[in-house]
């Protein structure tokens, strides 16, 4: 039974939704998530960094609202929650800014495709920029949406 679950996870289309914490166009993310659900159905998994505002917040909100598989990679200084990919032992550490970059790298490695929602494509935040740099280094497909 465990093997079947593992194989099912590997067959999923894992789409990361990342971006600015200042991103406010929730309608655009909702439409994007809905279109993904229409295309991939139950074989879709939305992946996020778990930030409480902006792109991550809306990715989680709409994935859960639409009944889509949802996984989260919060930085290790955040508390563990039921959507975390990693076990509770990895979380609740003392604050370290490096955990954000480690989390971004893990999101990129785990996902099949990365979509970055930013308020201004000319001024991408350092966090989103680091995730996109990991995409480039790993030949991972990504799109920047505003």
């Amino acid at each position: 039974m465990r093997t079947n679950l593992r194989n099912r996870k590997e067959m999923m289309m894992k789409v990361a939704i990342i971006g600015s914490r200042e991103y406010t166009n929730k309608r655009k993310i909702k439409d994007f998530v809905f279109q993904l659900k229409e295309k991939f159905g139950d074989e879709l998994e939305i992946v996020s960094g778990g930030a409480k505002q902006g792109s991550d917040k809306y990715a989680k909100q709409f994935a859960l609202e639409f009944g889509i598989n949802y996984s989260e990679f919060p930085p290790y200084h955040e508390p563990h929650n039921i959507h975390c990919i990693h076990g509770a032992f990895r979380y609740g550490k003392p604050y370290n800014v490096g955990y954000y970059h480690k989390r971004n790298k893990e999101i990129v490695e785990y996902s099949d495709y990365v979509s970055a929602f930013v308020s201004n494509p000319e001024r991408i935040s350092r966090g989103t920029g680091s995730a996109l740099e990991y995409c480039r280094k790993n030949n991972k497909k990504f799109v920047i949406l505003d």
Side-chain angles (χ1 to χ4, degrees), residues 63-112:
L64 297 177
E65 182 179 313
F66 294 142
I68 297 170
N69 299 296
Y70 174 76
S71 298
E72 199 166 277
F73 287 86
Y76 296 152
H77 54 263
E78 294 287 331
H80 180 266
N81 69 65
I82 63 170
H83 304 292
C84 291
I85 289 291
H86 299 303
F89 67 92
R90 290 219 181 162
Y91 297 96
K93 309 282 188 227
Y95 177 85
N96 183 326
V97 72
Y99 290 148
Y100 288 107
H101 297 289
K102 185 173 181 72
R103 178 262 317 257
N104 292 343
K105 183 177 181 187
E106 290 176 339
I107 289 171
V108 169
E109 289 171 349
Y110 182 81
S111 301
D112 298 309

Side-chain angles (χ1 to χ4, degrees), residues 93-143:
K93 309 282 188 227
Y95 177 85
N96 183 326
V97 72
Y99 290 148
Y100 288 107
H101 297 289
K102 185 173 181 72
R103 178 262 317 257
N104 292 343
K105 183 177 181 187
E106 290 176 339
I107 289 171
V108 169
E109 289 171 349
Y110 182 81
S111 301
D112 298 309
Y113 189 82
V114 176
S115 51
F117 286 84
V118 298
S119 299
N120 180 351
E122 302 298 318
R123 298 187 66 206
I124 294 175
S125 69
R126 280 186 259 173
T128 302
S130 80
L132 296 177
E133 189 56 36
Y134 289 126
C135 288
R136 288 181 189 97
K137 287 179 182 177
N138 293 291
N139 294 317
K140 186 75 61 159
K141 293 178 184 177
F142 69 92
V143 63

Side-chain angles (χ1 to χ4, degrees), residues 51-63:
K52 306 292 187 257
Q53 321 85 341
S55 305
D56 290 14
K57 172 186 173 181
Y58 300 128
K60 181 177 187 174
Q61 176 183 340
F62 297 123

